[in-house]
Amino acid sequence: MFQPKIPTMPQPSGLVTPPAVVQPAIITPGTIAPAPAAAPVPSRPVVQLTPGTAVALVGAGTAVVMVVGTVLVSLLLAVAVTSASVAVCAVVLRSLIASDAKRR
């Protein structure tokens, strides 16, 4: 009951076509075609790093790091506050259950 059952491959049904036979190509000697002319390489704009763009890149990178750091720290703080509140609730419930057991 718990052993897996491996399905068997069914036999092919219907018409089965045989593999196509590939005929060898016949090469006839002829004239050699001239090589195509080399296509001109499109000129791409070159990125120039000026002092202004370097300062902008450093500023943008710093801003991204600050935002990501702030989000991660706030998430960590939220987890810490939540775990502390759950711990306080557990202590209070334990105290209430213990005092209820002593009254009986």
Side-chain angles (χ1 to χ4, degrees):
M1 180 173 140
F2 293 110
Q3 293 180 349
K5 294 182 180 176
I6 301 172
T8 59
M9 246 343 222
Q11 294 296 326
S13 60
L15 296 174
V16 179
T17 58
V21 178
V22 178
Q23 297 293 333
I26 299 172
I27 300 174
T28 57
T31 60
I32 299 174
V41 178
S43 61
R44 297 185 332 191
V46 179
V47 177
Q48 295 180 356
L49 193 60
T50 62
T53 56
V55 169
L57 286 175
V58 168
T62 304
V64 167
V65 168
M66 295 296 278
V67 168
V68 170
T70 303
V71 168
L72 291 178
V73 167
S74 61
L75 285 173
L76 182 64
L77 183 62
V79 169
V81 167
T82 304
S83 61
S85 63
V86 168
V88 168
C89 290
V91 168
V92 169
L93 284 176
R94 183 178 173 189
S95 174
L96 288 174
I97 292 172
S99 65
D100 188 36
K102 286 182 182 178
R103 287 185 195 165
R104 291 184 183 183

